[in-house]
Amino acid sequence: MKIYVTFIALLFLVACNTIDVKNSREKLLKYSNEGYTVKLNDSLVKINQIILDENNIEKILVEKSTKEVIILRKKRDLNLYPLNLVVNNTEKNKLLVIDGTPIKPQELDSMSIEFSAFRSVTVLKNEPKFCERTYEEVILVTTHSNDR
């Protein structure tokens, strides 16, 4: 009887090492901040530097035993668009906001967005005050992640 209880307990522990996670950039960033490595189609990526088209993600698996997050995509091609082409980090009077999150100028050179993730881009000219500062242009980008 003890063997069966031990076997069931061991099976339960092994089965719970991999979990399926809901598709969410915030969850991926949380795992990354907790020291998990992130793999996108078998390639190691820095998820805080990439904004993916969430409609193109088939499944996200979390391997707790190896502290890995594995992103499986529906389409394997990845068409990334550097954010510094949207706003150059030397343009101090411009602000880029993606899904409500302002992007710091020093982050622009290292970040990319998947081209198919764009839902809309709006440019606000001569905003009197945005984020406690006056900007010549505020570029608002929304992605498909807001479609849910």
Side-chain angles (χ1 to χ4, degrees), residues 34-60:
E34 291 175 359
Y36 282 72
T37 57
V38 180
K39 289 187 176 179
L40 177 66
N41 290 343
D42 301 326
S43 298
L44 195 61
V45 295
K46 293 182 178 180
I47 198 64
N48 60 335
Q49 295 179 347
I50 299 175
I51 299 171
L52 297 171
D53 180 359
E54 292 186 3
N55 293 332
N56 197 13
I57 295 176
E58 185 175 326
K59 188 182 254 191
I60 299 173

Side-chain angles (χ1 to χ4, degrees), residues 27-142:
K27 284 221 184 223
L28 291 172
L29 290 172
K30 178 182 160 241
Y31 279 113
S32 178
N33 289 336
E34 291 175 359
Y36 282 72
T37 57
V38 180
K39 289 187 176 179
L40 177 66
N41 290 343
D42 301 326
S43 298
L44 195 61
V45 295
K46 293 182 178 180
I47 198 64
N48 60 335
Q49 295 179 347
I50 299 175
I51 299 171
L52 297 171
D53 180 359
E54 292 186 3
N55 293 332
N56 197 13
I57 295 176
E58 185 175 326
K59 188 182 254 191
I60 299 173
L61 301 172
V62 177
E63 294 279 349
K64 289 186 173 185
S65 60
T66 58
K67 290 193 87 168
E68 288 182 326
V69 176
I70 301 164
I71 303 170
L72 303 173
R73 295 172 47 83
K74 294 175 186 172
K75 298 176 188 171
R76 292 194 59 89
D77 59 328
L78 187 62
N79 188 6
L80 294 176
Y81 191 78
L83 286 184
N84 62 1
L85 293 179
V86 178
V87 175
N88 192 325
N89 66 359
T90 60
E91 298 175 288
K92 302 295 183 197
N93 289 330
K94 293 184 181 181
L95 175 67
L96 178 64
V97 179
I98 297 178
D99 292 333
T101 304
I103 305 299
K104 297 175 186 169
Q106 59 269 28
E107 295 176 336
L108 290 171
D109 286 337
S110 62
M111 289 187 72
S112 298
I113 186 169
E114 189 173 8
F115 192 74
S116 60
F118 283 103
R119 190 180 90 199
S120 70
V121 177
T122 306
V123 178
L124 306 174
K125 297 261 187 189
N126 298 319
E127 273 302 298
K129 199 159 199 156
F130 193 86
C131 293
E132 312 237 344
R133 191 172 153 205
T134 304
Y135 291 95
E136 186 179 302
E137 287 184 2
V138 177
I139 301 167
L140 303 173
V141 175
T142 55

